[in-house]
Amino acid sequence: MTPLCQRGEASCGACCGLYNRRDHSRRALAALLDRRTAALAHAPRTEAAFAAAAAGLGADDGDPLFPTVRVCPLLGWLDGDRTRVGCLAHPAVTGGAELRGAGAYDVATCDAFLCPSHAWLSEEEAELVAALCARDPWLYGLVVTDVPFVRAALRGVAALTGARVELRHLSAPGFARALRGLLGLKERLRPGSDGLYGAFRPGPGGDPVPRTLDYAALSRRPSPHDEILVCVGADPRSGNDLDALEEQVRAGLDACVVAFPG
Ligand code: SF4
Ligand code: SF4
């Protein structure tokens, strides 16, 4: 599969630790990437200089949400319009020098790592997500790393329209907007929600732990949109409001159905 990290106009920095902060709002992460990009723009293209810059930047990064997951200060903006994130120490970005050894991992690890989405997403699913989250690395990173969420959203639309969502359907701008809005549920979750990081919660064998909502504890019947709600962690224990999220899912699906080009 074509790597998901830089695909078309979409880009991701999740495994470089982008979201591993208490405040991982769009605004906070944009400011973080601004700071890193500006600091590294003037650093000499040597590993020692990048390591020194990384040390200074790392000290400013604040507490990580998950202390055992590394945060690399060498992730920044690759373009002046701030639409693409990527590694500022990669030879393709530095003009030839290999400086990734100054970051959170060694060069071999950075080179070899591909997250599980590479094995789980189909090519068409990957293209759909990249097209829908083009030029929005904040949303793309949250969505592309959560395969169950992508599938639940696409299945939810298909169940109501009676047709599988295909890449060609995105040529209808209203439908593309509506489907992007459905994926945008990720934007409205409380910090630390299961729905933000559920995809990264491995079980003892390394496979993802199935996510469930405890409807009995909430004294209510399972939602018809359970599959999507489970993925976004619509559980009060995650700090999210189940009823409010259910309404957002219903409205998001309705918007997709109305705009579906058929
Ligand atoms: S989380 Fe996956 S898609 Fe994102 S940068 Fe890492 S390997 Fe690439
Ligand atoms: S050095 Fe490695 S971990 Fe750091 S931003 Fe680059 S690819 Fe990511």
Side-chain angles (χ1 to χ4, degrees), residues 15-16 72 74-75 86-89 100 103-105 110:
C15 63
C16 305
C72 184
L74 303 185
L75 184 78
C87 177
L88 297 174
R100 287 176 289 177
Y105 301 96
C110 293

Side-chain angles (χ1 to χ4, degrees), residues 14-259:
C15 63
C16 305
L18 179 61
Y19 305 101
N20 189 13
R21 306 165 47 81
R22 297 206 177 276
D23 181 1
H24 51 253
S25 62
R26 184 184 286 275
R27 195 166 53 88
L29 294 192
L32 175 76
L33 293 169
D34 284 350
R35 202 160 61 242
R36 292 175 180 172
T37 307
L40 291 166
H42 303 296
R45 277 19 196 171
T46 66
E47 193 163 319
F50 263 50
L57 285 163
D60 278 351
D61 268 2
D63 287 344
L65 199 54
F66 302 105
T68 54
V69 176
R70 296 185 198 180
V71 176
C72 184
L74 303 185
L75 184 78
W77 297 117
L78 296 187
D79 65 335
D81 290 340
R82 302 153 87 229
T83 65
R84 187 180 287 284
V85 294
C87 177
L88 297 174
H90 191 285
V93 176
T94 62
E98 172 58 86
L99 303 176
R100 287 176 289 177
Y105 301 96
D106 55 43
V107 174
T109 303
C110 293
D111 239 2
F113 182 76
L114 289 176
C115 67
S117 297
H118 286 84
W120 294 341
L121 277 181
S122 72
E123 189 65 27
E124 185 171 31
E125 288 166 336
E127 283 294 299
L128 274 164
V129 174
L132 289 166
C133 302
R135 301 170 66 82
D136 186 350
W138 188 86
L139 182 61
Y140 180 69
L142 290 176
V143 173
V144 80
T145 51
D146 194 346
V147 177
F149 173 65
V150 171
R151 296 215 169 122
L154 296 178
R155 266 200 290 267
V157 176
L160 293 172
T161 59
R164 191 171 67 86
V165 178
E166 296 173 40
L167 199 52
R168 66 186 172 89
H169 294 136
L170 300 191
S171 55
F175 178 67
R177 247 190 330 272
L179 189 52
R180 191 232 173 262
L182 188 60
L183 298 183
L185 281 168
K186 289 269 190 184
E187 301 185 41
R188 301 192 277 275
L189 303 177
R190 303 289 302 162
S193 295
D194 273 3
L196 286 169
Y197 296 110
F200 289 109
R201 184 171 295 173
D207 290 329
V209 173
R211 291 174 273 183
T212 56
L213 293 183
D214 189 353
Y215 290 102
L218 297 168
S219 305
R220 56 163 290 176
R221 283 207 301 252
S223 167
H225 307 302
D226 176 69
E227 195 183 359
I228 299 176
L229 289 169
V230 166
C231 289
V232 295
D235 187 311
R237 286 170 303 180
S238 279
N240 294 308
D241 182 325
L242 173 57
D243 295 328
L245 273 175
E246 184 179 37
E247 185 46 43
Q248 288 175 27
V249 170
R250 187 177 301 124
L253 287 170
D254 285 350
C256 289
V257 172
V258 167

